Structures are given as C-alpha cells and as structure tokens.
Amino acid sequence: MAVNINETSNDVVAMNGLAAIGKTMDSQRAFFKSGVTKEVDFRIAQLKKLRKAIVDKEAAILDALKADLNKHKFESYGTEIGFALLEIDDCIKNLKKWAKPKKVKTAMFHFKASSYVISEPYGLTLIIAPWNYPFQLLMVPLIGAMAAGNCVMVKPSELAPNTSRVCADIIRDTFDSHYVAAFEGGVATAQELLRQKFDYIFFTGSTEVGKIVYQAAARNLTPVTLELGGKSPCIVDENIKLDVTAKRIVWGKLVNAGQTCIAPDYLMVHSSVKDELLEEMGKAVKKFYGENPEESKYYGRIINERHFDRIERLMQAGNVVVGGEVNRDTKYISPTIIDGIQPDDPVMQEEIFGPVLPVLEWTNVEEVVNFVNDRPKPLALYVFSKNKAFANQILEETSSGGACVNDTLMHIANPHMSFGGVGESGIGGYHGSHSFDTFSHQKAVMDKSLAIDPPVRYAPYRHSLRFLKFVMSKFA
Ligand code: NAD
C-alpha cells in the first residue's frame, strides 16, 4: 500500500492519541523505505535541529524538571540538558567516522576476498522512558537512534507530566511524525505501542516492566535494549580517605533525592571505620543541604505519593542515624541513613529509589563478595579503598552492569564507555559510539572475487579430510 508520508504530522499524533499509532507506523515505514534516513548528512542535519530545539527550550525544560522533581537548575543542566547536548555533539562530530563500513580481516582460505561490516539502521525503533531523569533518558536514546539512521517513536513517562509535555513539544516542533513521533501517555499507550511490530525496542525502567517489554518484543523477535534497575551496593574498605569517601557517597545517594537508577542503594562498610564514616556522612549532608534540607533549594522531592509511601515504609527498620524526617504534603523525605539493618529487612528486599541509605557492616571480604553474589546482579557497584588489591578483588569476584572505584555514579558520564546492566539489571548498553552501535545492525559482508574458483568446496569432494584440516588450521 502506498502511503503518503506527509499525511501524518506530530499534531495529528497528539490529537488522535492511540488511534494515531498505527497510522504513524505506516508513515514511518514508508519514510524509512524512502532511504532518506540512511544519508549521513540528513542524520547530522536532524541532530543539529534537535540540538537547536533543546537549546531554545532550555528554560522550559528547567521549569518542567523543577515542577516534576524540584530539581535545581544546576543539577538539571548537568544531569539532563548538558548530558544530552554532549551526546549530540559527540554524534555530530564522529558520525561520519562511525557510519563508514569497517574493514575486517579475511581468513586466507577465502582467497580472493575482502570483508567489512556495514552499520545499517534497524528501521522503526521504539523508545520508552522512565520519570527519574525524564528528559535525558528519552533524549539520549533518541539521539542514538537518529544517529544510526532509524525512524523513532518515543513514549515519555506519564509520571513526569511537565517534562513529558516539553519533550513532546520539542519533537512535534522539530520533526515530522513520519520520522520522529512522540506519544504521551501511561501504561495503555505503552502497551498499544508494544503491540506494534518495531525493528528495535529500547526500554528504560523497572526490571518488572522490563520483563513485560521483553515478552512483547519476543512475539516479533524484535531485538531490545533493556536499561533496568536493581540494588547497587556501595562497599567501603577500612583503608579509605574518610572525608572524600563520605562526600562522594552522600552526593551519589542524594542527587535527584536518591531517585537515580545507579544511586548507591545500600552501604557495606568495614566495621572498624563504620562509626567514623557515618559521622562524616552526616557532616556531608549538612554541608550540602544545611541544617534543614527541607529548606534547601538544592534538594529534590519524591515524584509522587505512591513512591513516597513506599519509601516511608522502607524506613521502618534499624536505627536512624541521620535524617528520618518526612512531609507527605510536599513529598519530602530527608536524607536518611539507617544503621543496624538486617539482610532480611524490607529495605534490603527491593530497590529503594529514594534518599534512604541502609548500612550493613563486614569484617571479612568473603562476606561482602558472597552477599553481592547471592543477589541479582546490580546495575552498578561502588568500591572505596586505597588498596588496589581489595578493589580489584571485589571487581573480579562480583558481576555488575558498571562500577566505580572511589566514586559513585561517574562511570555513566564517560561517553567512551557503554552504560548498561547485566542479568536482572538489564540487557545491552549505550552512550557515545555505543549508542550508534546499539541502534545499528552490524551487517557482515564478504566480497569475493569471481576471477578464481578452486573446486575444493564442491562435491564430489576429491580432497582428504586431512587436507581440509590442514587448510583450515594453517590458512585461517
Ligand atoms: P517503570 O518500569 O514503572 O516505567 C517505565 C516506563 O514504562 C514508563 O514510560 C511507563 O509508562 C511504562 N510502563 C509502566 N508499566 C508498564 C506496563 N505494564 N507495560 C508497558 N509499559 C509500562 O519505571 P519507572 O518507575 O518510570 O522508573 C524507575 C525504574 O527505572 C527503577 O527501577 C530504575 O532503577 C529504573 N531506571 C533504570 C535506568 C537505567 O539506565 N538502567 C535509568 C533510570 C531508571
């Protein structure tokens, strides 16, 4: 069926909601087939348009993040807008290089042939985003999908409605929906999108919903990236620089009021330094947010009452050594550190995703390794120690999506490394050139000369098995 690719605009998408999904699929399929998105110059031009739109809307994005999560503009720029702009700039600068076919070696027994790998776009891609970094976690995958030459449908999170609206506006004002379309909405919209046959699905959110997305993708054998969550441990050795360690843990835990997928979820500290570390962490909280963090303009709020109630319930164990104050009316939960936690306490059974840090202590490194390995593989792991051997042992004997030694969160901000989970914390990764690779199918091509055609491979086979083994081992 011939489809007029000009038939749908993002305004139509916004007006018709779910009904527009099928129509947009058709128009995107037709636009993709036209081959326009395969041109690298087109992709670069579109990324530049997106960059300009983001810069022009900076104030609206900052306002939306303030309204949804009470994020301070310094934090919003650093972790959301600036983060996305860095990704776009990296793509614009390197796209021509990334998109070139990559020559690879050819085993000698193929003589005469050459081989290369073409990065080809998948086609129609779907991106579903969460609410905690609602701008960045929608835009950064979008940038990767566009850079790789795909058409894209995005669904922002309904739980950050102001940011969802700004993202949809940016997309609507910048692109035709036959290229990039935004569908705002909640679970019903996500499910309707998941009923369609996409060529790639990129999902960021909880492990629970990740499994639903994976099942929906399996129906069509659609490849996926699943950026999920989990409980990321923060392991502290006795041999540390106390004040810096305390500041870096507190910072990583309290950015976005703890609603960060890679926030240190729980602390495992050597018993000989526990008291001193907790005292330093208390001091760091005061230094960052003052005597009463509720009055600090730098401290965020919990996204909604449901999550507020969930986190408050998790605070009902152990001994609160820092914080513990809550205000449901303003969705405020103070920075809270809880000592005396048992592994079977509720706070150790689910991802906390809030400003509450339970503390466990250890004396023997094997206890730490076993504790981590007895649980689902985390998205991140942090180890603080001046002893390289200790840090290496933890890294070697445990598995996690990513890790930092002597810091928290920062591995996510290096575009030269892929960011993603492992096991229950996710499948695949992205950022920088890894986003381009994620959204591209790596097509392996062998280009063979027609000039010579030795008969060895054809039946009837006239060479011995010994001869074949010799060729395959010596001319590889
Ligand atoms: P979520 O899984 O509840 O929702 C994510 C998205 O899925 C939303 O757009 C939502 O509308 C949609 N959705 C919800 N239920 C659905 C269903 N039944 N079927 C289809 N779609 C559905 O996650 P969230 O609460 O928005 O985000 C928090 C979680 O995301 C945490 O677990 C956190 O660790 C994780 N996270 C991971 C990363 C990462 O990069 N790995 C980043 C941020 C957040």
Side-chain angles (χ1 to χ4, degrees):
M1 183 186 65
V3 175
N4 176 6
I5 56 178
N6 293 317
E7 220 172 78
T8 59
S9 73
N10 266 302
D11 288 328
V12 175
V13 171
M15 281 186 299
N16 293 346
L18 295 187
I21 290 175
K23 201 169 180 188
T24 309
M25 290 292 296
D26 290 343
S27 69
Q28 289 210 348
R29 190 71 68 197
F31 186 60
F32 183 73
K33 265 193 198 158
S34 75
V36 173
T37 67
K38 291 196 174 169
E39 292 160 19
V40 173
D41 287 341
F42 169 83
R43 301 183 207 173
I44 292 175
Q46 302 309 308
L47 288 167
K48 285 183 178 167
K49 275 167 67 177
L50 180 59
R51 189 185 203 292
K52 183 175 180 315
I54 293 174
V55 170
D56 289 349
K57 285 263 187 198
E58 181 183 311
I61 302 164
L62 292 174
D63 286 349
L65 290 165
K66 180 83 186 160
D68 287 332
L69 286 145
N70 197 40
K71 283 196 200 197
H72 188 271
K73 60 186 175 194
F74 188 86
E75 205 174 293
S76 288
Y77 193 89
T79 62
E80 305 247 22
I81 301 175
F83 201 107
L85 293 179
L86 277 175
E87 286 280 331
I88 297 188
D89 291 343
D90 193 22
C91 282
I92 291 173
K93 186 168 156 218
N94 294 304
L95 191 53
K96 287 199 166 146
K97 187 174 73 196
W98 297 341
K100 273 195 186 135
K102 288 173 192 64
K103 208 166 168 10
V104 295
K105 281 188 190 169
T106 305
M108 255 204 306
F109 55 73
H110 288 298
F111 189 81
K112 191 179 179 210
S114 63
S115 303
Y116 50 93
V117 177
I118 296 175
S119 295
E120 71 175 23
Y122 279 104
L124 268 58
T125 55
L126 170 65
I127 294 168
I128 299 179
W131 53 262
N132 60 331
Y133 290 84
F135 182 78
Q136 190 249 108
L137 292 173
L138 184 89
M139 288 295 166
V140 173
L142 170 63
I143 293 160
M146 288 170 60
N150 298 285
C151 292
V152 196
M153 293 198 200
V154 302
K155 195 202 80 65
S157 172
E158 73 282 15
L159 299 186
N162 296 284
T163 315
S164 170
R165 175 44 50 93
V166 179
C167 289
D169 283 349
I170 288 175
I171 288 168
R172 183 175 309 125
D173 296 347
T174 313
F175 304 113
D176 283 318
S177 66
H178 60 242
Y179 174 43
V180 182
F183 289 90
E184 286 191 90
V187 176
T189 305
Q191 288 178 342
E192 183 58 28
L193 285 162
L194 288 169
R195 268 191 278 279
Q196 315 298 317
K197 185 180 184 326
F198 283 93
D199 301 305
Y200 200 90
I201 297 176
F202 188 105
F203 170 80
T204 307
S206 59
T207 299
E208 198 189 349
V209 178
K211 289 177 185 171
I212 296 172
V213 171
Y214 205 10
Q215 281 170 3
R219 282 200 294 273
N220 294 309
L221 290 180
T222 301
V224 295
T225 296
L226 301 176
E227 294 282 340
L228 310 177
K231 290 182 83 63
S232 299
C234 180
I235 298 156
V236 180
D237 186 21
E238 56 191 325
N239 189 356
I240 47 161
K241 194 168 182 202
L242 260 178
D243 53 344
V244 181
T245 300
K247 279 193 284 187
R248 291 185 181 174
I249 297 171
V250 166
W251 170 77
K253 183 70 192 181
L254 298 181
V255 167
N256 201 23
Q259 300 163 111
T260 302
C261 55
I262 47 169
D265 185 274
Y266 61 94
L267 184 66
M268 290 193 86
V269 53
H270 192 280
S271 54
S272 66
V273 291
K274 186 189 79 176
D275 292 342
E276 283 172 291
L277 181 69
L278 297 191
E279 200 182 319
E280 281 297 325
M281 288 170 70
K283 284 188 204 160
V285 170
K286 279 198 185 129
K287 216 179 209 165
F288 298 168
Y289 303 108
E291 286 295 331
N292 181 7
E294 195 167 10
E295 286 166 7
S296 167
K297 60 183 177 192
Y298 307 119
Y299 190 65
R301 292 295 180 270
I302 304 306
I303 187 76
N304 57 28
E305 281 79 10
R306 184 169 68 80
H307 280 284
F308 177 93
D309 293 341
R310 185 185 58 78
I311 299 165
E312 196 187 20
R313 179 177 50 78
L314 297 180
M315 292 164 70
Q316 311 307 317
N319 319 311
V320 171
V321 291
V322 172
E325 297 87 26
V326 298
N327 181 347
R328 197 171 191 273
D329 294 340
T330 55
K331 288 171 277 172
Y332 166 76
I333 295 183
S334 68
T336 298
I337 300 175
I338 311 182
D339 195 8
I341 288 296
Q342 300 302 318
D344 54 0
D345 283 336
V347 74
M348 291 304 298
Q349 310 311 315
E350 64 180 83
E351 183 183 4
I352 298 168
F353 222 54
V356 174
L357 187 69
V359 181
L360 301 161
E361 55 187 289
W362 60 272
T363 48
N364 168 348
V365 64
E366 294 312 326
E367 283 171 59
V368 179
V369 167
N370 291 337
F371 192 88
V372 173
N373 288 341
D374 285 347
R375 287 163 175 74
K377 292 180 181 179
L379 183 57
L381 178 144
Y382 304 112
V383 50
F384 283 83
S385 180
K386 287 200 268 187
N387 177 358
K388 280 263 170 273
F390 175 84
N392 287 341
Q393 183 180 359
I394 298 287
L395 292 177
E396 277 165 25
E397 296 184 9
T398 62
S399 177
S400 58
C404 278
V405 177
N406 293 327
D407 209 342
T408 58
L409 314 191
M410 281 304 188
H411 62 299
I412 199 175
N414 182 355
H416 303 291
M417 300 199 287
S418 177
F419 172 75
V422 59
E424 289 195 27
S425 57
I427 295 174
Y430 70 131
H431 287 172
S433 64
H434 306 285
S435 292
F436 176 84
D437 292 342
T438 284
F439 282 102
S440 304
H441 164 60
Q442 313 291 317
K443 183 157 76 182
V445 181
M446 181 180 282
D447 184 344
K448 196 108 186 191
S449 164
L450 286 169
I452 47 172
D453 192 30
V456 190
R457 65 168 137 164
Y458 302 122
Y461 305 122
R462 59 199 89 181
H463 291 86
S464 65
L465 197 55
R466 212 167 130 225
F467 172 79
L468 180 64
K469 286 182 182 174
F470 173 75
V471 170
M472 289 183 77
S473 61
K474 296 295 175 199
F475 297 93

